Amino acid sequence: MEQIDIAVFVRILLRLVHALASAIWLGSGAYLVFALTPLRRVVPSAPDTLRAAQLRFRRWWVVSSALLLGSGVALMFDRLADGRGTALYVILLLVKIMAGVIALAATGGLLPRGGSWERGSATRAWLSGRTVLLLGTLAYLLGVLLSVIYPPDPTAGWR
């Protein structure tokens, strides 16, 4: 029976963490944008409910963002270190990184708290949320595409 190398185990763990963190990030954002935000128009107490939900989701968002960034950087260096990355891979990776950074900035994660960004209208918040989800989905789909174009070497790390 073959044993799995520690490097292979770490790569699998990193991919799993990255996938779960992206599901949490996109799922919580979709719930806020598509389920809670529209309630502002029909439920009088919706702003309080939305504010409470945003505070709760913020914890998940911070943790999933940190996990996405950490695992993504590790996976990126792992993939590029073997020298098999093509120019197409690097270009798509850069687009993915830009989409992720812009999505992070659009949520206020890269901006100081309490600024005019947070005092925007409900319409601007709705459009901003949809834009963030679109960029997050783009980054996710580019990650899937990168995995297809540049699959991991199944023999790397096996003894």
Side-chain angles (χ1 to χ4, degrees):
M1 184 168 138
E2 294 184 42
Q3 290 183 336
I4 191 166
D5 186 12
I6 189 70
V8 172
F9 178 75
V10 170
R11 285 183 191 111
I12 292 169
L13 185 62
L14 282 171
R15 286 187 192 106
L16 181 63
V17 166
H18 201 68
L20 290 174
S22 66
I24 291 168
W25 200 92
L26 285 172
S28 62
Y31 180 70
L32 282 172
V33 169
F34 295 117
L36 293 180
T37 303
L39 290 177
R40 285 183 170 173
R41 293 181 222 140
V42 293
V43 178
S45 65
D48 295 331
T49 303
L50 186 56
R51 196 170 302 110
Q54 286 173 331
L55 288 174
R56 286 185 182 211
F57 279 121
R58 184 156 185 84
R59 289 184 214 131
W60 286 97
W61 179 85
V62 168
V63 170
S64 64
S65 294
L67 290 173
L68 274 171
L69 289 172
S71 62
V73 167
L75 288 169
M76 175 186 69
F77 283 118
D78 180 58
R79 288 279 179 95
L80 294 177
D82 68 6
R84 294 187 308 138
T86 64
L88 176 62
Y89 179 84
V90 172
I91 290 169
L92 290 174
L93 181 63
L94 288 174
V95 173
K96 177 186 176 185
I97 291 169
M98 287 190 307
V101 168
I102 292 169
L104 183 62
T107 60
L110 299 177
L111 300 171
R113 300 202 39 93
S116 61
W117 181 267
E118 292 181 345
R119 293 189 298 263
S121 68
T123 304
R124 198 163 64 206
W126 168 257
L127 292 173
S128 174
R130 288 175 51 167
T131 303
V132 169
L133 283 178
L134 180 65
L135 289 169
T137 302
L138 174 64
Y140 178 80
L141 293 175
L142 283 172
V144 171
L145 181 62
L146 288 169
S147 294
V148 170
I149 290 174
Y150 184 59
D153 183 2
T155 61
W158 288 90
R159 334 180 202 174

